[in-house]
Amino acid sequence: MIKPLKHIPTNIITGFLGVGKTTAISHLLRHKPAHERWAVLVNEFGEVGIDGGLLQGQHAEAEQVFVAEVPGGCMCCVMGMPTKITLNKLLKQAQPDRLLIEPTGLGHPQEVLALLASEHYQQVLDVRSTITLVDARVIDDPRYTEHAIFNQQLDVADVIVANKSDCYDNHLSVLTAYLSKRPTTANCPVMPVEQGQLSPAWLDLTIAQTPFVSLLDDHVGHEHQHHGLDHTHDADTTDDSSEQSLPAEGYVEVRNHRGDYFSCGWRFSNDWLFDEERLEEVLRGLACERMKAVFNTNMGAKGFSFSNGELSSVALAHMQGSRIEIIDRDARHFDTVLSGLLAARAHIE
């Protein structure tokens, strides 16, 4: 019997590029009550869609975890239909006991909050605490502290999580000093953690937030460039059933540009396998701010993440197609990456 969708506890997990949002959500999913059904709505800056695949590869519907994805930064355009359609479809399918939303690291969380507070969702969703992850090592870098989105992510926080704290020296004290000087964050709790190990209790902290102020007019325009792939969005974006849309060469490239960031992604044929050793060599040599990927390799399905010059990987439960997304402020080097990826294909005897 389908229960009515009413007052579903909902949390936004936000933070800038490479801070570890997907890892943190995966940790929460591993520690959710076993009898509860949880849904995750993921938004990505790039058009290909990686995070949904990473989460689905580690958490199956058999665990009562349901994942949907809105690629291309479209969640920031909250009045557009893709986000609403995907969210409605996810809620109907999952009938969740809790909803987690991961906006893109380059998105405006204020706009997501505005969508959740709209009349359509007021009786459906019960918005609980917003958790903002931050890597304290960037707090003395003006590329972050002078970035409007970085600061807006802090402004909306009910809990600020200083992730990757095992890599800090005196960075935590620098972060707390920075936050104490800002009226919106001066009284916000700061929780240092390693490897995204959020406490589930933080999802339901009493919200002591300053009154919501819409920043919808402070919207950074963006443009999409498409190479061989129609720009369509659906709740099943992590499903590779669109194999027929691939051109004869077996892959498709999609680019996105918004503000001062560019993304480039490739989706490869489901039949392709990649040599894990050669693939990791290519990925370690990247010169970019952020990379995420899922690949079918000769050693099984693998998820990859590159940030701050460090490459990490995780085994995934099942093959789901190969795709990669790179984000950087300089798009000129994107073209050189593809040749390395093509050379890393495994030769099947």
Side-chain angles (χ1 to χ4, degrees), residues 52-97:
L54 288 171
L55 289 170
Q56 286 184 329
Q58 299 175 72
H59 308 279
E61 290 186 6
E63 303 173 30
Q64 303 199 82
V65 172
F66 301 82
V67 182
E69 198 167 53
V70 183
C74 288
M75 189 181 288
C76 67
C77 309
V78 296
M79 300 314 293
M81 290 306 294
T83 298
K84 294 179 181 179
I85 292 173
T86 305
L87 176 55
N88 293 346
K89 185 175 180 180
L90 174 63
L91 294 174
K92 182 178 179 180
Q93 174 200 14
Q95 296 287 310
D97 297 289

Side-chain angles (χ1 to χ4, degrees), residues 277-293:
E277 185 175 348
R278 284 186 288 166
L279 179 62
E280 288 194 2
E281 183 178 352
V282 173
L283 298 181
R284 285 196 184 94
L286 292 175
C288 63
E289 291 199 27
R290 190 75 175 110
M291 180 280 296
K292 284 190 175 184

